[in-house]
Amino acid sequence: MNKPCKIVVLISGNGSNLQAIIDSINSQQCPAEIAAVISNKAEAYGLVRAEQAGIAAHCIAHHQYQDRQFFDKALMQLIDQYQPDLVVLAGFMRILTDDFVNHYLGHLINIHPSLLPKYPGLNTHQRALEAGDKQHGCSVHFVTPVLDGGPVIIQGVTAITENIDLDILKDRVHQLEHKIYPIAITWFAEQRLALVNNAAMLDAQPLPLTGYCYESND
């Protein structure tokens, strides 16, 4: 029997995507195990979620390091103690150095609240509304040195209906995140997903530039 895929999850806040991943593993839908959860903020509720699930939980506060390079080096040392197959960014609100990204290249994924390549960075929901977009959503992508620019694995798509407000849109996208992140991790854990020549490959076939499309029925 193959060993489950070992993952380390990095968080900065509430950890709702972490919880979705934990639930997917516990329901045996995802053949992975979370070796550790690491936060750059001691008050992150995701650390409580980890402890409640019996997962090793660590805080490594970025403000205690003189610059980004020193923090990332310390973070790498902690992660590498667990020898993960995959590092999962789940609301980790730090821009990572190229050294960090390249150390885990092909084994580092992130979820972003927009239909990449649209709206990298912050305030994605507001930007989609202001642009008059008909669709919005979220993207799981491989992390590369280009911020929010790595190859997309899967996108969750929802319609922007007339008179929708920011809070409702944000909630819909959040719910989509909880559905598509475990799917991407499952593909990786099943050795179906890989980064090859800066392209996301599923079952040895290149995914579209916008990844696999998961459409919401909401």
Side-chain angles (χ1 to χ4, degrees):
M1 185 175 178
N2 292 334
K3 287 185 178 180
C5 175
K6 188 187 294 186
I7 64 179
V8 168
V9 182
L10 307 187
I11 62 167
S12 293
N14 180 53
S16 64
N17 272 308
L18 167 65
Q19 189 65 56
I21 297 164
I22 291 171
D23 292 345
S24 180
I25 291 169
N26 287 345
S27 66
Q28 299 186 328
Q29 292 176 313
C30 180
E33 64 176 3
I34 302 175
V37 172
I38 304 170
S39 174
N40 65 311
K41 296 184 177 181
E43 69 274 15
Y45 184 68
L47 292 174
V48 177
R49 295 181 190 271
E51 290 167 354
Q52 289 175 341
I55 299 166
H58 302 273
C59 173
I60 179 165
H62 62 273
H63 57 78
Q64 294 179 352
Y65 294 83
Q66 65 187 70
D67 61 21
R68 199 178 299 277
Q69 281 74 23
F70 278 89
F71 171 73
D72 280 11
K73 185 176 180 180
L75 183 58
M76 281 191 285
Q77 288 174 344
L78 178 55
I79 293 169
D80 287 350
Q81 290 178 23
Y82 291 95
Q83 299 182 305
D85 302 299
L86 181 66
V87 178
V88 175
L89 307 181
F92 187 64
M93 302 303 290
R94 297 285 299 165
I95 295 174
L96 297 163
T97 59
D98 289 1
D99 285 348
F100 183 99
V101 171
N102 288 323
H103 184 66
Y104 299 108
L105 194 65
H107 301 268
L108 179 64
I109 61 175
N110 180 49
I111 193 157
H112 182 74
S114 80
L115 298 175
L116 293 171
K118 278 191 169 185
Y119 314 126
L122 303 175
N123 303 317
T124 58
H125 311 301
Q126 186 67 43
R127 290 157 70 189
L129 288 174
E130 289 175 353
D133 291 353
K134 300 299 183 186
Q135 289 184 320
H136 188 44
C138 48
S139 308
V140 178
H141 64 96
F142 282 107
V143 178
T144 66
V146 179
L147 180 65
D148 297 331
V152 176
I153 298 162
I154 182 172
Q155 291 187 328
V157 181
T158 188
I160 297 181
T161 51
E162 196 171 348
N163 299 322
I164 193 171
D165 68 22
L166 180 63
D167 289 337
I168 291 174
L169 182 60
K170 187 181 296 185
D171 183 64
R172 284 187 185 176
V173 172
H174 221 174
Q175 295 305 314
L176 278 171
E177 290 180 16
H178 300 162
K179 292 175 181 176
I180 70 169
Y181 219 174
I183 291 172
I185 293 167
T186 298
W187 287 343
F188 190 93
E190 292 173 343
Q191 300 183 2
R192 297 174 57 198
L193 177 68
L195 179 67
V196 180
N197 296 326
N198 204 41
M201 307 284 286
L202 182 64
D203 297 329
Q205 298 296 317
L207 283 161
L209 291 179
T210 51
Y212 179 90
C213 179
Y214 177 100
E215 292 199 47
S216 170
N217 295 320
D218 296 337

